[in-house]
């Protein structure tokens, strides 16, 4: 029997601020990688400047995702001078290349405003990245890309547009390089961090509603039916007693492994304070399954994680 995955699954040893994870199978090293926003929890400065100036951290697992080792940060992403901001990576593998879509903000701000774009890079090994520039998505306030193949060919990207109500908009591409915006995709309430996957005969989207993960179901990747929330109730595992935030999903067989982050210190009377305890964040994983056409997730389930390699 495989050992139960650790909880928390991973905590960043440099800044203790791992957030917005994406999971990708590294074909060169035969490891699973978690690439994440590396928030600077101890940074001085006004406002929310600690969430800016972030690199993309990397944790690697050679045992199917049960244990993770910090490996450093992705380098070679900068294309201009200064200390800039990288958020919420999305990485997919297609036709011999890794494609990275990452939210980019110039410099370090102290508020949540300002221009943001989604930049595209490619790599053969997850280490040396070729830049292809910012995508033209019809707005200068776009973050949190998610990319998924369309059943008839081509690709769809979902992303948060902070200029238009913090809702999810979409764009289509025939080749992962040229993108054509297609308009509003999900607008039931403000949210961020869309993530799309296929499980149990349906398409699913998780969105971070800042009260747990909103669950939406679709049969065509266009019309989405909101089904409620998961990861909205506190869990009992270490560092898992707060809502689950900005998730990524790896589907294997009939299980969706949901990788998410928590702010363990944001509970009770301290939730609204700005301290190291409320800034720090940890990565977790939980299993979701389709039961009677609905997505169910018990974050307290002991998870014997053994992710298989991906061809």
């Amino acid at each position: 029997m495989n050992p139960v995955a650790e909880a928390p699954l991973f905590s960043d040893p440099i800044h203790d601020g791992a957030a917005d994870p994406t999971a990708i199978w590294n074909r060169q090293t035969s490891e699973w990688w978690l690439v994440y926003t590396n928030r600077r929890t101890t940074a001085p400065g006004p406002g929310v400047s600690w969430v800016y100036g972030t690199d993309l951290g990397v944790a690697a697992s050679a045992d199917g995702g049960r244990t993770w080792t910090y490996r450093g940060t992705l380098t070679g992403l900068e294309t201009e001078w200064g200390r800039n901001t990288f958020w919420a990576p999305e990485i997919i593998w297609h036709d011999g290349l890794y494609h990275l879509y990452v939210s980019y903000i110039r410099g370090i701000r102290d508020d949540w405003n300002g221009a943001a774009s989604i930049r595209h890079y490619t790599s053969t090994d997850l280490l040396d990245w070729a830049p292809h520039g910012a995508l033209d998505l019809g707005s200068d306030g776009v973050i949190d890309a998610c990319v998924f193949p369309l059943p008839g060919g081509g690709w769809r990207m979902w992303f948060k547009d902070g200029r238009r109500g913090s809702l999810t908009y979409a764009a289509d591409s025939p080749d992962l390089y040229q993108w054509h915006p297609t308009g509003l995709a999900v607008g039931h309430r403000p949210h961020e961090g869309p993530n799309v996957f296929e499980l149990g005969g349906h398409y699913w989207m998780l969105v971070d509603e800042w009260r747990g993960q909103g669950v939406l179901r679709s049969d065509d990747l266009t019309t989405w039916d909101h089904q409620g929330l998961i990861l909205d109730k506190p869990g009992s595992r270490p560092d898992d007693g707060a809502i689950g935030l900005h998730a990524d999903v790896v589907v294997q067989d009939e299980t969706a492994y949901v990788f998410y982050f928590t702010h363990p210190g944001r509970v009770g009377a301290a939730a609204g304070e700005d301290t190291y305890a409320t800034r720090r964040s940890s990565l977790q994983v939980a299993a979701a399954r389709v039961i009677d056409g609905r997505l169910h997730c018990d974050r307290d389930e002991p998870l014997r994680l053994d992710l298989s390699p991906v061809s």
Side-chain angles (χ1 to χ4, degrees), residues 170-189:
D172 287 355
S173 172
D175 59 7
L176 293 172
Y177 293 89
Q178 302 299 317
W179 293 89
H180 171 68
T182 58
L184 180 68
V186 176
H188 65 290
R189 59 171 284 146

Side-chain angles (χ1 to χ4, degrees), residues 245-265:
L245 299 160
H246 196 126
D248 188 40
V249 175
V250 172
V251 174
Q252 298 206 333
D253 297 324
E254 299 303 314
T255 301
Y257 296 96
V258 183
F259 294 87
Y260 60 98
F261 81 95
T262 65
H263 283 294

Side-chain angles (χ1 to χ4, degrees), residues 90-209:
E90 165 78 328
I91 304 177
I92 65 170
W93 168 264
H94 176 66
D95 198 20
L97 284 175
Y98 299 98
H99 291 259
L100 165 65
Y101 300 91
V102 61
S103 310
Y104 178 80
I105 298 96
R106 176 178 288 174
I108 296 176
R109 302 185 58 85
D110 61 6
D111 57 34
W112 294 105
N113 302 317
S117 62
I118 293 173
R119 289 190 168 193
H120 179 207
Y121 300 79
T122 55
S123 173
T124 59
D125 61 3
L126 290 172
L127 294 176
D128 295 318
W129 294 95
H132 301 284
L135 307 183
D136 182 2
L137 298 174
S139 172
D140 70 347
V142 294
I143 61 172
D144 297 354
C146 166
V147 176
F148 194 82
L150 293 170
W155 304 80
R156 180 160 295 163
M157 175 184 291
W158 294 266
F159 53 90
K160 172 187 172 180
D161 192 335
R163 299 294 195 227
R164 291 183 284 186
S166 292
L167 303 174
T168 291
Y169 281 73
D172 287 355
S173 172
D175 59 7
L176 293 172
Y177 293 89
Q178 302 299 317
W179 293 89
H180 171 68
T182 58
L184 180 68
V186 176
H188 65 290
R189 59 171 284 146
H191 58 270
E192 62 187 8
N195 191 270
V196 173
F197 57 99
E198 188 174 4
L199 184 69
H202 301 283
Y203 300 109
W204 303 89
M205 181 189 294
L206 298 183
V207 295
D208 187 348
E209 299 188 6

Side-chain angles (χ1 to χ4, degrees), residues 52 79 85 159-160 170 178 197 216 228 241 281:
Y52 293 90
T79 59
T85 299
F159 53 90
K160 172 187 172 180
Q178 302 299 317
F197 57 99
L216 300 104
S281 53

Side-chain angles (χ1 to χ4, degrees), residues 285-308:
V285 66
R289 302 177 183 88
V290 177
I291 303 174
D292 296 329
R294 301 185 69 87
L295 192 70
H296 292 261
C297 179
D298 176 6
R299 68 197 296 178
D300 289 336
E301 174 190 344
L303 195 55
R304 300 190 181 280
L305 194 61
D306 189 14
L307 297 177
S308 300

